[in-house]
Amino acid sequence: MAKLAFIGLGLMGTPMASRLLEAGHDVTVWNRTAEKTKPLTDRGATATSTPMEAIAGVDAAITMVTNAEALEQVVFGEDGVAAALVPGQLVIDMSTVGPDAVRSVASRLPDGVAMVDAPVRGSVPQATTGRLAIYVGADPADFQRVEPILTPLGTLHPVGGLGAGAAIKVVVNSTLGAAIAAFGEALALGDDFGLDRSVVLDVLSDTPIAGTVEAKRANVESGNYPANFKLSLALKDLNLVTEIADQFGRRLEVAAASRDWLEEAAAAGAGDLDYSAVIPTITSDGGRRPE
């Protein structure tokens, strides 16, 4: 078993850290909002007051934070982990920040400290049950080091060297926005035809977006959208997709349109709801073209 630091206890970080504890790892935790550490300390984790303190004596530090700015802060900010890292330790970033951010952080770590990017696909249910898809960017030796650490969290997919995991996650996220927007637009069209909503949902459950329909049908039918993956985070991820596409000079019209729907839903106050809360924005009268 490994001695680990886990930094970032949001909707995903808390169940992920819990899984590592259950697997027998020795886990030290830190979170910007200190009270979020209590569910972990109640189960045997140790909490610290700074990221720097959290990495003392650990084999690896795992970061699971909101964006590239947050990653920069916990690694290189005041009391960040970089000030205390020593040769032989490993930094595993599981956030969704893009390959440029990962490589930038890795290039500034102390000599002898390796970095691996391992962002995940899945939301709270998958994080809780250890069924995440984990896209690992690492050289073969570092992959061997992280595999026994991360296996309790889900299925590891080695996808290339440093930065490849972050790049694959950007690719995956381009489909996430497209699927939820397509779901909403299909429901809107069915409403305009006057079709029974339950019939439309049944039929959509046997289409290329069946997985999204199955996962989010209960939200649509109840009109309640408790956050498993916050809409504000989905919007952040789609912004990352389109920003990187712009860097490559690539037109990603579907990703851009999906981002626009999420922006509209966020502006309407749905940012803290599940990302499927974009569907009411699409299906409402506000989703019609101006006359």
Side-chain angles (χ1 to χ4, degrees):
M1 294 297 103
K3 183 172 175 58
L4 306 173
F6 200 103
I7 296 168
L9 300 174
L11 284 174
M12 295 289 286
T14 295
M16 290 166 68
S18 295
R19 292 282 307 177
L20 294 172
L21 278 169
E22 291 168 4
H25 294 298
D26 182 348
V27 181
T28 299
V29 296
W30 177 86
N31 192 71
R32 182 178 58 182
T33 307
E35 55 263 31
K36 289 187 177 181
T37 64
K38 189 174 188 307
L40 278 303
T41 57
D42 286 347
R43 303 180 67 178
T46 301
T48 63
S49 58
T50 68
M52 183 172 66
E53 292 172 0
I55 66 161
V58 303
D59 301 301
I62 299 173
T63 52
M64 185 63 173
V65 294
T66 304
N67 52 35
E69 291 75 18
L71 179 62
E72 181 77 16
Q73 185 62 33
V74 298
V75 178
F76 298 110
E78 185 177 0
D79 296 323
V81 301
L85 286 168
V86 298
Q89 288 183 311
L90 183 66
V91 175
I92 307 170
D93 181 54
M94 305 191 76
S95 319
T96 300
V97 296
D100 288 348
V102 166
R103 294 187 183 111
S104 174
V105 168
S107 70
R108 291 174 286 148
L109 293 177
D111 290 342
V113 176
M115 184 168 183
V116 167
D117 51 309
V120 303
R121 177 176 60 81
S123 56
V124 173
Q126 291 77 28
T128 302
T129 56
R131 294 182 293 114
L132 295 169
I134 306 169
Y135 306 114
V136 184
D139 67 35
D142 288 334
F143 181 81
Q144 289 182 354
R145 292 178 65 188
V146 302
E147 187 174 19
I149 293 171
L150 299 183
T151 293
L153 303 180
T155 302
L156 275 66
H157 302 273
V159 295
L162 181 70
I168 284 285
K169 184 63 191 302
V170 173
V171 172
V172 168
N173 282 346
S174 72
T175 70
L176 181 75
I180 201 67
F183 185 14
E185 291 186 358
L187 289 176
L189 191 58
D191 291 346
D192 289 341
F193 277 123
L195 297 172
D196 185 298
R197 175 65 71 84
S198 64
V199 172
V200 173
L201 287 166
D202 287 343
V203 171
L204 290 175
S205 295
D206 190 27
T207 69
I209 60 167
T212 300
V213 175
E214 180 181 354
K216 301 304 178 183
R217 179 170 183 163
N219 292 358
V220 170
E221 290 183 321
S222 69
N224 295 314
Y225 296 88
N228 278 329
F229 177 41
K230 284 187 179 181
L231 188 143
S232 60
L233 296 179
L235 175 57
K236 180 266 295 184
D237 290 351
L238 263 292
N239 278 325
L240 184 61
V241 170
T242 54
E243 287 166 7
I244 290 174
D246 287 344
Q247 292 172 16
F248 288 131
R250 175 67 61 184
R251 293 173 55 219
L252 297 183
E253 302 289 358
V254 173
S258 305
R259 176 206 59 204
D260 291 347
W261 277 126
L262 290 167
E263 281 184 343
E264 189 171 333
D272 286 335
L273 301 178
D274 189 75
Y275 80 106
S276 56
V278 70
I279 290 174
T281 293
I282 297 172
T283 57
S284 70
D285 286 343
R288 298 185 184 277
R289 291 185 184 276
E291 295 183 0

